[in-house]
Amino acid sequence: MADGGIHKVQVEALVVMKIVKHSSQSFPTVATGSIVGMEVGGTLEITNCFPFPTVDVPPEAATSSHAAESAAQLAAAAPRAKANLAYGAEMIKMLREVNVDSQNVGWYTSTNMGNFVNANTIENQYFYQKDLNERTVALVHDVSRSAQGALSLRAFRLSPSFMTAYKEGKFNVESLQKSGLKYQDILVEIPVEVHNSHLLTVLLHQLPTQPPKEELEFPTSLASLTADAIPHPLDPNFDSLDLAIDPYLEKTADLLLESIDNHHTELNNHQYYQRSLAREQAKITAWQTKRKAENVTRVAAKQGPLPEDEWQRLFKLPTEPSRLETLLNSRQVEQYSRQVDGFAANITSKMFVVKSNLLPGEN
Amino acid sequence: MAGSSFLHVARPLPGVGPQPTTAPLNVSIQPQALFSVIDHSLRRDQETKRVIGTLLGTRSEDGSDVDIRAAYAVPHTETDEQVEVDMDYQKQMLALHLKANPREVLVGWYATSAELNTFSALIQNFYAGQPEGTWPYPAVHLTVDTTPAAGIAMQTYIGVPIGVTEERSQDSCSFIPVPHQVKYTDADRSGLELISSAKDSDTRAALVGTDLDALEGAIEKVLDMLDRVSNYVSNVLDEEAEPSTALGQYLMNTLSLAPKVDPANIERDFNNHIQDVLVVSYLANTIRTQIDLSNRLATAALTIGGGEVTGENQGGERQGGDNRRGGKGGRGGRGGQNRQQQREPREPTES
């Protein structure tokens, strides 16, 4: 992971909480914001963040599904919108006055079930990685997966080979072969670590913690026991023991189907391209043979031969569709299948626990 | 916090113009606001004793519940004689914040010391007053004591006007403590779990783990608690520990929650669900393989005549051949022999 020199992303607890808050508030719309911090010896320390303004949709336009779609589009494209850049610059200027790190090190986005690998994410990250400086990351917070227990917060960068390819803007078969770029190398994941300040550690020890180890007074009645319940400790979170399976599987299957549809569309585009290419080429060959035959007769008639490369003007070869969408789609499918694998590992262990609990003596 | 109670006596001062209401109110603080305050306290200049900032959040319709959701720092300088708060900064920052969080309103301010002094009263009146303050609602003042080596003590107040004449009441204020609690939402839980998992480590850091790690932690914790309870119960049975009827009842109630179901039903449901999970997992991976295959075929098959045979990588060639065979089965194999040669230049970069 020599890429960009960042091998770890260290996120302050404040940033985690702010992202969680912003993402869950605007769920299911994508929430985006900017992160600030600095890079120290290969570790990118993210110390603060702020959300980008929400996009205003005129109420009368919001009713149609098309407008809602474009609003989602706008929200996803927010990190590179001009107004938001100005907003970010202004905010950073303000934050600098109160001694907050004033270096923009990337952006964050919320996602739902890991469907973040799309043209918008790539374009945003490209925008940041190209312009601002080399060392920027995209933090991705998965709202629905976090709701099931463990927090899902990941950091991504675009790989250098993808950056070069994207800069050229060429994603046809030839360039892909030359660069050897595959969908696996689009994004580079960087391990994320949360970090607490000393003061925060003090505070955390004051928040509800483990039950006390020493002997306690016995409760006098059942009512006093329920009335004076011991608060749940924050760690571990027993939400991860939840046994709900079907919603997750349904959602995953839906998303997979969507990906397959996309893939199919792309394939059709490509096949169409191939057919029209073959048709054009057949036409060209026919024209060339005809012209050659014509030239032979002209030479026989002692006339000057007609130019043979005129076909380049007469026929236009269709342009090859970009394979970028296919690449991203493949990466997205990979993401889903990894996710499902993790989920399956998790849920099978839980299922067997429950089974052996309800059917003792079976094993 | 817990166990403290408050008595509110509201008595309007005659003749001092518009006053904020002083009705009792409940304050809940969300962790991210608290974290912001602590972060700001760490980032203050060394010589400053305390720093202040603005609290934002939501207020219920009657104004009796205040939910503090966010906070931002406001620069100020404080000497023995005077205090200066950067009003422009406060105004601009508020505007910026409201742009991104249109639903939140100004609810008050915080200071990072437990002390309440004359300047506190001045600032309180600024935040509570017209036209930019929280008027007609009272402004909430949150003090977070961040003195090193002491615990973090939090206290919330609202101000009531006090003073004999109108001029005097401008810069004085009586702080009335109001109850508060730290509240977190369901969405915050997973974040807080991760954050608090780092609280006992020396580096004060924790890696974002997988779901499986979280599950392991939770199961270990449950086992630990079960051990503790069964230990107690067997001790009671051996007459080594003091029995308690209340605890007994509670355990009975809890145990009776376990459902009584037919083993055959369990077996059936279990198998159904586990099959669901495995099928979706299998499907996802099959789809991934198919798409991978289709990608490889697409980039390989279309360059008939464009590639060159270098023959320097035997391993790559073999691998390419394998892929081709698989491809023929799946997609009817366009391109034939050429494809094997096309693949070759790409292979070295794959490993």
Side-chain angles (χ1 to χ4, degrees):
Chain A
M1 287 250 201
D3 140 65
I6 300 173
H7 53 75
K8 195 167 81 180
V9 174
Q10 184 180 298
V11 184
E12 282 295 326
L14 169 68
V15 178
V16 176
M17 292 316 295
K18 274 186 155 180
I19 294 179
V20 168
K21 175 202 167 203
H22 184 206
S23 307
S24 59
Q25 252 178 12
S26 61
F27 184 80
T29 318
V30 177
T32 53
S34 184
I35 51 180
V36 294
M38 65 189 295
E39 188 248 338
V40 183
T43 303
L44 188 70
E45 293 179 3
I46 299 171
T47 50
N48 214 327
C49 67
F50 53 88
F52 284 130
T54 42
V55 190
D56 295 321
V57 187
E60 68 273 11
T63 44
S64 70
S65 68
H66 179 72
E69 220 162 81
S70 69
Q73 189 75 13
L74 273 176
R80 56 179 196 280
K82 245 201 187 107
N84 285 333
L85 284 183
Y87 178 83
E90 182 86 348
M91 197 68 161
I92 285 173
K93 205 178 84 202
M94 304 299 270
L95 288 176
R96 186 167 23 209
E97 281 188 48
V98 285
N99 303 339
V100 174
D101 287 327
S102 54
Q103 198 186 350
N104 189 335
V105 292
W107 59 291
Y108 69 81
T109 177
S110 71
T111 176
N112 182 9
M113 298 287 295
N115 62 347
F116 61 92
V117 190
N118 50 35
N120 266 320
T121 313
I122 299 296
E123 215 164 300
N124 287 340
Q125 178 60 16
Y126 174 75
F127 177 81
Y128 273 83
Q129 219 163 313
K130 166 196 71 161
D131 266 2
L132 294 168
N133 55 40
E134 281 284 284
R135 299 186 166 147
T136 54
V137 291
L139 278 182
V140 178
H141 170 63
D142 196 321
V143 185
S144 1
R145 286 183 66 209
S146 300
Q148 291 177 333
L151 178 84
S152 162
L153 186 70
R154 306 163 77 189
F156 289 100
R157 284 171 56 79
L158 293 177
S159 70
S161 53
F162 185 80
M163 284 295 285
T164 356
Y166 201 84
K167 199 182 272 168
E168 286 167 7
K170 263 175 45 192
F171 283 96
N172 51 25
V173 171
E174 202 179 323
S175 70
L176 284 183
Q177 279 192 325
K178 215 182 278 166
S179 60
L181 188 74
K182 291 198 305 301
Y183 65 91
Q184 288 101 331
D185 343 295
I186 297 176
L187 293 167
V188 181
E189 184 167 3
I190 306 164
V192 180
E193 193 182 78
V194 245
H195 181 263
N196 300 340
S197 65
H198 282 292
L199 267 179
L200 195 60
T201 314
V202 173
L203 177 73
L204 287 173
H205 277 278
Q206 288 181 346
L207 289 176
T209 50
Q210 318 290 343
K213 291 282 176 221
E214 73 270 16
E215 290 282 313
L216 293 173
E217 291 274 311
F218 280 116
T220 47
S221 71
L222 191 60
S224 73
L225 199 63
T226 39
D228 190 22
I230 300 174
H232 267 301
L234 291 173
D235 169 47
N237 182 350
F238 293 120
D239 284 357
S240 50
L241 292 178
D242 192 29
L243 265 178
I245 307 174
D246 297 346
Y248 191 97
L249 290 184
E250 254 178 60
K251 191 85 189 130
T252 310
D254 275 352
L255 289 168
L256 275 171
L257 280 177
E258 201 180 300
S259 287
I260 296 174
D261 276 352
N262 283 343
H263 188 75
H264 200 73
T265 320
E266 290 299 316
L267 273 188
N268 276 344
N269 280 347
H270 225 86
Q271 270 168 8
Y272 176 77
Y273 158 73
Q274 274 178 305
R275 274 200 304 275
S276 56
L277 184 70
R279 221 172 20 240
E280 288 297 308
Q281 265 166 346
K283 271 192 212 157
I284 289 168
T285 335
W287 185 87
Q288 275 174 326
T289 5
K290 196 178 145 221
R291 178 55 62 94
K292 259 189 198 134
E294 210 173 310
N295 273 345
V296 171
T297 43
R298 281 175 79 98
V299 168
K302 299 253 175 355
Q303 281 174 325
L306 291 167
E308 287 197 9
D309 51 359
E310 225 171 88
W311 61 271
Q312 284 168 343
R313 279 196 294 114
L314 289 172
F315 298 99
K316 202 161 171 287
L317 287 177
T319 44
E320 191 183 333
S322 162
R323 295 202 61 84
L324 177 62
E325 199 56 41
T326 321
L327 278 176
L328 293 179
N329 200 34
S330 314
R331 178 66 179 75
Q332 180 70 75
V333 170
E334 193 198 8
Q335 164 75 26
Y336 289 147
S337 68
R338 291 255 162 89
Q339 224 165 266
V340 168
D341 277 354
F343 178 75
N346 212 332
I347 205 76
T348 28
S349 19
K350 278 191 261 184
M351 295 280 288
F352 276 100
V353 166
V354 172
K355 189 196 175 197
S356 61
N357 197 11
L358 288 178
L359 295 177
E362 285 266 311
N363 35 4
Chain B
M1 292 183 267
S4 48
S5 49
F6 303 94
L7 175 70
H8 281 267
V9 183
R11 190 176 64 88
L13 278 179
V16 282
Q19 294 165 16
T21 56
T22 52
L25 75 175
N26 293 310
V27 179
S28 46
I29 307 165
Q30 293 201 353
Q32 55 270 13
L34 204 52
F35 286 12
S36 292
V37 175
I38 288 173
D39 184 71
H40 184 205
S41 151
L42 287 169
R43 289 177 187 281
R44 65 179 191 263
D45 297 326
Q46 217 148 36
E47 62 272 15
T48 12
K49 269 201 301 209
R50 63 170 187 179
V51 283
I52 65 159
T54 302
L55 296 174
L56 295 137
T58 53
R59 194 182 277 118
S60 64
E61 263 175 40
D62 56 352
S64 66
D65 288 299
V66 172
D67 193 10
I68 298 173
R69 293 200 179 167
Y72 62 83
V74 175
H76 90 304
T77 47
E78 201 171 321
T79 59
D80 288 341
E81 287 89 38
Q82 60 169 354
V83 60
E84 233 176 78
V85 181
D86 195 336
M87 300 292 179
D88 282 344
Y89 185 95
Q90 147 72 12
K91 256 184 244 164
Q92 283 177 33
M93 195 67 177
L94 185 66
L96 281 178
H97 191 95
L98 292 184
K99 237 187 200 174
N101 302 284
R103 268 172 299 181
E104 288 174 8
V105 291
L106 177 76
V107 292
W109 65 293
Y110 67 82
T112 58
S113 89
E115 195 191 355
L116 298 170
N117 54 22
T118 349
F119 300 142
S120 299
L122 259 177
I123 301 170
Q124 172 76 14
N125 284 342
F126 161 68
Y127 273 100
Q130 306 185 61
E132 285 128 27
T134 57
W135 196 85
Y137 301 103
V140 176
H141 177 38
L142 167 73
T143 60
V144 180
D145 189 3
T146 54
T147 329
I152 293 182
M154 281 174 280
Q155 189 57 271
T156 43
Y157 304 93
I158 53 169
V160 272
I162 195 168
V164 194
T165 62
E166 201 168 327
E167 297 83 58
R168 287 295 296 150
S169 71
Q170 294 295 315
D171 53 2
S172 46
C173 166
S174 161
F175 283 98
I176 300 177
V178 287
H180 72 275
Q181 50 184 333
V182 178
K183 243 191 198 163
Y184 48 86
T185 60
D186 285 343
D188 295 336
R189 272 199 74 111
S190 55
L192 280 173
E193 179 200 14
L194 184 69
I195 290 163
S196 71
S197 69
K199 72 180 172 189
D200 292 321
S201 104
D202 288 340
T203 51
R204 310 193 305 282
L207 270 177
V208 178
T210 60
D211 289 354
L212 218 51
D213 294 335
L215 180 67
E216 190 189 347
I219 289 183
E220 269 175 13
K221 185 78 189 127
V222 171
L223 285 178
D224 188 48
M225 292 194 297
L226 285 179
D227 272 353
R228 214 174 142 187
V229 171
S230 62
N231 209 5
Y232 168 75
V233 171
S234 56
N235 275 348
V236 169
L237 288 179
D238 296 346
E239 297 187 345
E240 281 169 15
E242 196 185 327
S244 153
T245 38
L247 275 183
Q249 273 179 15
Y250 187 77
L251 287 177
M252 275 299 286
N253 284 352
T254 313
L255 284 177
S256 62
L257 287 180
K260 180 98 185 75
V261 265
D262 185 33
N265 281 346
I266 295 180
E267 193 74 43
R268 199 193 60 225
D269 289 351
F270 175 81
N271 285 337
N272 282 347
H273 278 103
I274 210 94
Q275 272 167 14
D276 283 357
V277 176
L278 294 180
V279 159
V280 173
S281 166
Y282 172 75
L283 264 180
N285 280 302
T286 317
I287 292 166
R288 183 176 66 158
T289 322
Q290 286 283 342
I291 286 193
D292 190 9
L293 201 59
S294 133
N295 262 339
R296 280 162 182 264
L297 286 174
T299 40
L302 279 175
T303 50
I304 298 167
E308 42 214 279
V309 186
T310 49
E312 59 186 28
N313 191 319
Q314 291 303 316
E317 193 157 359
R318 208 174 50 241
Q319 205 182 336
D322 288 344
N323 280 334
R324 186 172 59 86
R325 267 200 299 283
K328 262 192 171 167
R331 306 197 57 82
R334 273 171 297 148
Q337 192 57 38
N338 256 347
R339 198 183 301 136
Q340 183 176 349
Q341 296 161 357
Q342 296 323 311
R343 297 198 54 77
E344 203 188 330
R346 295 174 58 220
E347 294 302 334
T349 50
E350 277 186 356
S351 46

